[in-house]
Amino acid sequence: MSKLPQLFLRGHPVQTLPGDGHYKDGILETMRCHNGRLPLWPLHRERLARSLGLGELSLDEIAQCILHLVAKLGHKMAIARLRVGLLGGEWCWDLSFLPLQPTVEAELGVRLFPCKTDLPVSQSWNSGCKYLCRSRYNRAKSELPMGECLDGLIFDSEGRVIESLRCNLLVRFGDIWVTPNLQRCGVRGVMRDWLSSRIQWQERDMDIQDLCEAEEVALCNSVRGVLPVVEIIGHKRWPIGAGVRGLQYLIVETLW
């Protein structure tokens, strides 16, 4: 079994890769590898297709190469980090396989810290892609108190709840799971999209008060699945409920 990390530039193994800042108009896809496959690849590919005008760089080329590399990786679980964008004036892509480290968040829950750094509201359609330029997210991350294991809660410039620093939000009211409206800004995660066709689901504008009135709050992303939220610092605490555990079970049984 080859050690991680493993790095590839347009499918060819390399020792180092350029930094995120070297890519212009760069897009990032962070994916979970599981037993030689990418369980959510169709949704990652769909997001890439709506986010990029790839020109001569073929999405089929990327897909064929990535799936081949994943199949021969030799690790039961890993993180695949795909970057696509302009490098030196030409379309390029690279792939990093990184260790998937276990965490206690799925069992013990996540605490959210409301960040003051917000996301600008777009007047045009939001593609929901994840850009390599993460300056606002990095600024928000710098607000987190030192020495505590927290995720940041992100708002838009008009006070609506949008997402966390690394996940989408899921909020349960009765039998319905609600997620923030991402038409103006925010990352439309592929785990969020996967869940949307499998549970009772609504998308709507929410503020911090709406979150505090929820019966359960959770986070989701394509690497960790669903994580319970147990506290929004300064606002409310929740026990871990059966609804979140049900979503976790659904993912384990269906995806990994």
Side-chain angles (χ1 to χ4, degrees):
M1 181 185 297
S2 300
K3 292 184 178 181
L4 300 178
Q6 296 179 28
L7 312 177
F8 299 87
L9 184 64
R10 289 195 78 157
H12 301 289
V14 293
Q15 294 299 311
T16 60
L17 290 171
D20 289 351
H22 288 82
Y23 274 96
K24 181 181 178 183
D25 300 326
I27 299 294
L28 174 65
E29 291 289 333
T30 307
M31 304 172 284
R32 181 176 176 133
C33 306
H34 192 84
N35 288 333
R37 61 191 184 90
L38 295 174
L40 292 169
W41 171 248
L43 292 172
H44 286 289
R45 176 173 176 148
E46 180 182 311
R47 185 166 63 177
L48 279 171
R50 70 173 182 260
S51 304
L52 291 167
L54 290 175
E56 73 276 7
L57 183 62
S58 167
L59 194 51
D60 288 336
E61 170 199 329
I62 297 175
Q64 184 177 6
C65 191
I66 287 178
L67 295 178
H68 173 72
L69 292 172
V70 170
K72 68 175 189 176
L73 182 61
H75 290 261
K76 181 178 180 180
M77 294 184 295
I79 297 172
R81 189 175 190 265
L82 170 65
R83 303 184 300 177
V84 185
L86 288 169
L87 187 64
E90 297 182 354
W91 282 104
C92 190
W93 65 275
D94 65 47
L95 183 69
S96 306
F97 290 118
L98 308 170
L100 178 54
Q101 304 291 355
T103 72
V104 298
E105 294 173 320
E107 287 302 315
L108 301 183
V110 179
R111 299 167 67 220
L112 293 178
F113 180 85
C115 296
K116 294 181 180 178
T117 302
D118 55 33
L119 300 177
V121 173
S122 174
Q123 301 304 315
S124 58
W125 177 72
N126 173 37
S127 67
C129 62
K130 189 174 184 179
Y131 292 101
L132 278 176
C133 180
R134 305 280 291 170
S135 57
R136 281 186 178 268
Y137 291 93
N138 293 337
R139 200 182 316 151
K141 185 177 180 180
S142 72
E143 298 178 31
L144 302 183
M146 297 288 289
E148 296 194 54
C149 185
L150 301 169
D151 195 358
L153 181 62
I154 306 297
F155 302 81
D156 70 15
S157 57
E158 297 176 355
R160 290 175 285 257
V161 172
I162 300 299
E163 59 196 358
S164 84
L165 285 171
R166 54 197 173 97
C167 298
N168 287 125
L169 279 163
L170 303 170
V171 185
R172 185 174 70 81
F173 299 96
D175 295 331
I176 305 295
W177 285 97
V178 178
T179 191
N181 180 2
L182 301 182
Q183 292 181 0
R184 306 174 189 89
C185 59
V187 177
R188 184 175 144 192
V190 299
M191 181 58 76
R192 173 185 180 275
D193 283 354
W194 185 85
L195 286 168
S196 70
S197 62
R198 290 164 174 82
I199 60 176
Q200 293 189 64
W201 175 273
Q202 289 180 4
E203 183 180 37
R204 71 171 193 239
D205 291 339
M206 288 189 286
D207 58 21
I208 189 69
Q209 186 59 41
D210 293 318
L211 257 63
C212 291
E213 292 173 358
E215 296 170 52
E216 293 183 76
V217 177
L219 304 176
C220 68
N221 70 26
S222 61
V223 173
R224 298 294 178 183
V226 168
L227 307 172
V229 171
V230 294
E231 182 179 4
I232 299 177
I233 304 298
H235 291 274
K236 188 169 180 179
R237 296 179 180 179
W238 291 267
I240 299 175
V244 172
R245 293 303 189 209
L247 295 181
Q248 292 176 324
Y249 180 80
L250 173 66
I251 291 169
V252 169
E253 289 295 301
T254 309
L255 287 176
W256 54 70

